[in-house]
Every structure is written in structure tokens, then in C-alpha cells.
Amino acid sequence: MTTPLSPNAVVAVVGTGAMGAGIAQVAAAAGHTVRLLDAREGAAAQAVDGIRAQFARLVDKGRMDAAAAAAAGARLVAATDLAELADAALVVEAIVERLDAKQQLFAALEGVIADDCILGTNTSSISITAIGAALRLPERLAGLHFFNPAPLMALVEVVSGLATGQNVTDTLFATAKAWGKVPVQAKSTPGFIVNRVARPYYAEALRLAQEGAADYATIDAVLREAGGFRMGPFQLMDLIGHDVNFAVTKSVWSAFYHDPRFLPSLIQQELVDGGFLGKKSGRGFYDYSEGAAVAQPASAAPQALPGKLAICGDSAAARALAQRLQLAGTPFETTDSADGRIAVAGDTVLYVTDGRSATRRASDLGIAKLVLVDLALDYAQASRIAIAAAAQCAPAGVDAATALLQAAGLQVARFADVPGLAVMRTVAMLANEAADAVNQGVCNAAAADAAMKLGVNYPQGPLAWADALGVATVRTVLAHLGEAYGEDRYRISPLLQQACYSGRKIHD
Ligand SMILES: NC(=O)c1ccc[n+]([C@@H]2O[C@H](COP(=O)([O-])OP(=O)(O)OC[C@H]3O[C@@H](n4cnc5c(N)ncnc54)[C@H](O)[C@@H]3O)[C@@H](O)[C@H]2O)c1
């Protein structure tokens, strides 16, 4: 096993903005002397003061020992000249996100540092190979991609470019671990792991909105309360800022030669054009101005239960509904499920979405009164669920299905009849993208899942989620989405196909 850098080794951080300051804090807390440098006069000294204040806050909260905080604070040294970084064993670069600026900085650094000094770049989107191409010793450069805020986010992507030495990534991996982080290894490809695999979380929601599936607050609430995601996609894009989020989407899309899988959304382009950048500008999908009403999700009005309720089969959804109805004291029958139905309310049949629209499924099955239910991370715990009714289903039929779900304690979000609803379609696309990253050797399945759980707080790694759902189910959903839209965007990763036909789980 490769050993981490010794705590006695000097670490330098160049670029002491939001990320650089956070990284310097982590390195100083781990015992390193940290030299900070920034092109803006006074910025490094300001960052040192800011980090010391952070340490003091941690002491106040009882999360750091006062002596340790004082010692860590004393290990921070503001530099004013590149030459002062000469004794660094590792330099982490967190300057402006521009290839020419990063190349220039590293070339200048190589004139100052020792040949065995390791270089890490915190770039989110620039190729490590391209940055390394300007170096005299490109094998010493790797991506060391922290997430914001660096002191709090556990994930670090250790990214190797074409020339990166294995000993360099191994040392960075071990060092990130020693700093209390969870490192994952990735190959330098657009978006690395997190910024690539996360794209569908935004893209599918934007598409749902564009198709009028439901309003923003309702889609957000469904992703949170049924999907188990900490933030809904619109809420999250507003927080990240549309300029930033749109730029990442566009950069990944361009880097993949305009693969339709990453196609940016016109809705977001409009927001950027209009200066509706999200929370920071006071308006994005939501209005953040003082006194503005907080947008509420739409929930179906309470409906009267029909005479007959049945729970069918023993799928996860059926079992949870049965349990919830039982708890609520609502009587129901149980029946087998030959065609995958999960319940019958009156004479309306409920199924979990398989990526077909309700209208198509009703037509395929010859059942007019058909309502589709979205995926939930855990049907026993969800507080809200999205449904879509077939065009052939009369309103009373939709009301009956709604009543059953309400009796089980769920808020019901009635969506327009979009294929795959919200959570199912999002999870299928996240799993597909993660599978493709694994298939293309960007990372392994464990790294993909860890990255998404730790880098963007997903409730479950997308590949473990696909395994739990059944890879065949995910494949079917994607195939149906592909048929519905006739777009390459929903093409199925070869890895999912392989897992599906071999009957194996991805994590087997
Ligand atoms: N903000 C994020 O959420 C985030 C997350 C992960 C990675 N990153 C990446 O980290 C890097 C820094 O991002 P940030 O958000 O901290 O930016 P920032 O604007 O907060 O800080 C950048 C700092 O670099 C300094 N700088 C610019 N050019 C310089 C140069 N040539 N030499 C020395 N200093 C220079 C600036 O004065 C500024 O203080 C970028 O590559 C970005 O893509 C950002």
C-alpha cells in the first residue's frame, strides 16, 4: 500500500478562493505546514485569517480541540511569491478555471519546486492530460478534485491524465485518506465522475418541466419525498447558480462532441440569458425576493375511497402499500399479480411505471382505467408519490387510484402522462450514466456509487440502486423511454445490457 505524504511535508495551495482556502484548511488540520499563494494582493493573508477564524468556530462548537486549532492555525503561511513554495512536496492548484492560466502557473512552478514535488489540480472540467501537456514532468500531475465546501465534503476525485504516474495517484489517494477524505480514482474524461453522472438529475427534470409534467415545486417535492434526494433538482440548480450549472452542462456536452445524452436545456438557457441565476440573483426557478411566497407542491385533494381495494402481488410497492393501509386501518383484499399490477382501486388498475406512458400501457394491455405510480426509494417511507393516468381513464378512475394512495398516507402528485414519471426516469438515467462511466473505464462501480453519495449526497449509489431495482427493470425503462422519444439520449449502456442478460448484478 502506498503511504501518504508525511504530515511533515509542506503543502502549497495556489488560488485561495472558496476552494483553495477550504483545501488549505483540510491540509493544515491534517498536520501540514501550508503555504498559500494568490495572484490578488492580500488574498492569501486574508484566506489565512479566514481559516483561523474557521478553526476558532470549530473550537466554539466543541468540534476541535483549542490547542490543535492554534497549532493548525500557526501552520498556515501566506506567501507573496512563487519562490516561497520551493520546499513544497505537494502543490494544489485552485485558481481560475482556464487551461492557459493553469498551464502557465504549473510551468512557472516547475522552475521553482523540486522534481519530486507532486502537483494536484482542483479543476472541475479541464482535462488533466491537457494541463499536463505543458509540464516538463507531466507524470507528476493529477487531478485532486475536492467538492465545495472542501472541509465538509468527504469526496475527493483523484484523476489521472494520460501521462500521470501511478505512484502520484497512489500517493494522492493515500494522502486524501489521511486527511479524512474518501478518495475515488477516476480517469480524466469530461466531468470526471460526479459532474458527468449527475447530469441527468438536472436534465430529466428540465425535460419534465418543458413537457409540462408538473410545476417545479411539485417535481422537486417528488424527487425529495419519493426519491429520497436531499434537494429537488430545481431547488439545487437555483442554489448552484444557473450560470455555473449551465456552463458545466455545456462543457460536458461539448467535450462529448454534442452527445444528446448531455443536451443542455432551453429553459436553463433562458434563465441564464435573463440573469435569473437562482438564489444569488434573487430569482431562478423560484422567487427569492423578500416577502415572496414560497412555492408549494401541488397535492391532489382528498378523494373518497371506492368500495373495493385490492393489493396485488408482492412487489416492493405492493408490500409497502399493504403495510401502510393496514397501519391506517383501511381494509383491502389481496390478490396475485399476473401482469405486474400492484393494486386495484374500484376498477382502476395501478402499476409502477416501466417507462411507457400510461396511455400506451393502457393501450398495450387493453385496460382503459389504468394509473401509473412512480418509483420511490422506499415505498414504506415515502410521503409523496407521483402518478400519471392513461388518457383512456375517466376522472373518477384517477380519483379512485388517488384515494387508495392517500389512504396509505401518501400525498399524491398528479403528473401529465409523461413516460417514466420523475423518480424512475431520473434513477434509470443516473444508473445508465454511471454504468457507461464504468464501461468506459473511467472508474469502477464502487467508486461511481461512492462519488454520487458523497459528492452530491444521493440517497443511494445509482448502480446499487439499479441492482436493488433489478437491472432488467432499469433496462426496460430506458428502452421504453428510447421508444417514446426516438432519441439516442436514452440508449442503454452496454454494461447494463451485459448485467441484464447475464442475470448478474452490477456490483456482483
Ligand atoms: N467553487 C466550486 O464549487 C468548485 C468545486 C470544485 C472545484 N472547483 C474548481 O476550483 C478552482 C477554483 O475555484 P473557486 O471556486 O475556489 O474560485 P474562486 O474564484 O473562489 O478562487 C480563485 C482564486 O484564484 C486566484 N487566482 C486566479 N488566477 C490566479 C493565478 N494565475 N495565480 C494565482 N491565483 C490566481 C483568484 O484571485 C482567486 O482568489 C477552479 O478550477 C474551479 O473549477 C470549484
Side-chain angles (χ1 to χ4, degrees):
M1 210 190 81
T2 314
T3 49
L5 284 181
S6 149
N8 295 324
V10 172
V11 172
V13 176
V14 186
T16 59
M19 294 308 295
I23 296 165
Q25 179 179 331
V26 171
H32 298 276
T33 291
V34 183
R35 304 198 188 285
L36 295 88
L37 181 71
D38 197 283
R40 193 167 55 82
E41 209 182 310
Q46 221 174 3
V48 168
D49 290 345
I51 300 166
R52 287 181 182 151
Q54 277 299 108
F55 286 145
R57 265 193 288 272
L58 290 173
V59 173
D60 287 346
K61 287 185 190 160
R63 300 226 302 264
M64 199 172 183
D65 175 80
R75 286 193 286 269
L76 295 160
V77 187
T80 52
D81 192 282
L82 211 60
E84 292 169 55
L85 312 186
D87 62 350
L90 165 66
V91 181
V92 184
E93 168 276 311
I95 67 167
V96 60
E97 186 73 340
R98 267 192 8 236
L99 175 63
D100 62 331
K102 291 188 192 285
Q103 283 185 330
Q104 262 170 32
L105 170 70
F106 283 124
L109 266 170
E110 278 200 310
V112 167
I113 52 174
D115 277 0
D116 61 353
C117 173
I118 293 177
L119 300 174
T121 169
N122 191 48
T123 181
S124 309
S125 63
I126 303 175
S127 152
I128 308 304
T129 305
I131 299 174
L135 289 184
R136 181 169 56 83
L137 301 174
E139 60 273 19
R140 63 160 109 193
L141 175 79
L144 192 63
H145 188 213
F146 288 80
F147 289 74
N148 193 11
L152 295 182
M153 299 296 285
L155 184 70
V156 176
E157 293 177 334
V158 177
V159 189
S160 51
L162 214 49
T164 306
Q166 184 67 46
N167 58 332
V168 168
T169 45
D170 286 350
T171 303
L172 287 176
F173 195 89
T175 303
K177 247 189 188 171
W179 291 1
K181 298 296 175 190
V182 179
V184 291
Q185 283 192 15
K187 233 172 46 185
S188 181
T189 46
F192 310 141
I193 305 175
V194 172
N195 279 336
R196 169 191 185 157
V197 176
R199 294 329 318 142
Y201 191 63
Y202 315 110
E204 292 309 308
L206 285 161
R207 180 165 269 216
L208 286 170
Q210 196 159 30
E211 292 177 5
D215 59 39
Y216 306 130
T218 305
I219 298 174
D220 270 352
V222 165
L223 266 301
R224 282 194 312 265
E225 296 177 39
F229 291 91
R230 200 170 291 179
M231 288 180 99
F234 299 107
Q235 204 187 357
L236 184 54
M237 283 183 269
D238 267 6
L239 182 70
I240 293 168
H242 292 288
D243 48 346
V244 174
N245 189 260
F246 190 59
V248 177
T249 298
K250 273 212 309 198
S251 113
V252 173
W253 177 59
S254 316
F256 278 109
Y257 301 109
H258 298 173
D259 186 333
R261 201 126 98 185
F262 304 106
L263 188 72
S265 163
L266 286 175
I267 296 184
Q268 199 171 29
Q269 171 84 66
E270 280 278 294
L271 290 174
V272 174
D273 288 349
F276 296 175
L277 303 183
K279 216 166 176 182
K280 65 185 170 189
S281 74
R283 186 162 162 196
F285 288 114
Y286 300 111
D287 185 352
Y288 299 93
S289 55
E290 226 181 284
V294 176
Q296 297 298 327
S299 304
Q303 300 298 325
L305 274 174
K308 187 189 124 196
L309 296 182
I311 298 297
C312 317
D314 70 344
S315 64
R319 271 186 279 125
L321 281 179
Q323 200 182 40
R324 296 178 72 135
L325 287 174
Q326 227 156 28
L327 270 174
T330 305
F332 59 91
E333 297 168 21
T334 54
T335 69
D336 288 344
S337 172
D339 64 357
R341 64 184 58 188
I342 56 165
V344 178
D347 50 6
T348 304
V349 189
L350 287 82
Y351 297 85
V352 171
T353 175
D354 68 357
R356 281 177 286 181
S357 69
T359 303
R360 175 180 163 192
R361 198 147 167 195
S363 164
D364 288 351
L365 294 176
I367 298 174
K369 286 192 178 171
L370 182 145
V371 167
L372 294 182
V373 175
D374 198 4
L375 175 68
L377 171 66
D378 178 355
Y379 286 102
Q381 298 295 326
S383 53
R384 181 179 302 273
I385 197 85
I387 64 168
Q392 301 90 322
C393 183
V398 191
D399 290 347
T402 303
L404 183 152
L405 296 167
Q406 288 172 334
L410 288 153
Q411 293 285 352
V412 176
R414 289 182 174 179
F415 273 42
D417 186 20
V418 288
L421 296 180
V423 179
M424 181 67 94
R425 155 183 189 153
T426 301
V427 169
M429 285 296 274
L430 291 171
N432 199 38
E433 201 50 56
D436 234 25
V438 172
N439 196 51
Q440 291 162 9
V442 176
C443 59
N444 62 29
D449 275 356
M452 303 319 287
K453 284 203 293 190
L454 298 172
V456 269
N457 295 317
Y458 287 178
Q460 169 89 281
L463 295 172
W465 207 334
D467 279 341
L469 259 175
V471 180
T473 300
V474 174
R475 190 193 168 280
T476 302
V477 168
L478 292 166
H480 284 147
L481 286 167
E483 282 172 30
Y485 289 105
E487 286 175 56
D488 201 31
R489 174 191 183 95
Y490 297 101
R491 70 181 184 273
I492 305 162
S493 166
L495 187 83
L496 278 185
Q497 312 255 28
Q498 277 298 100
C500 182
Y501 293 122
S502 68
R504 286 211 198 110
K505 291 188 170 198
I506 294 170
H507 279 286
D508 270 355

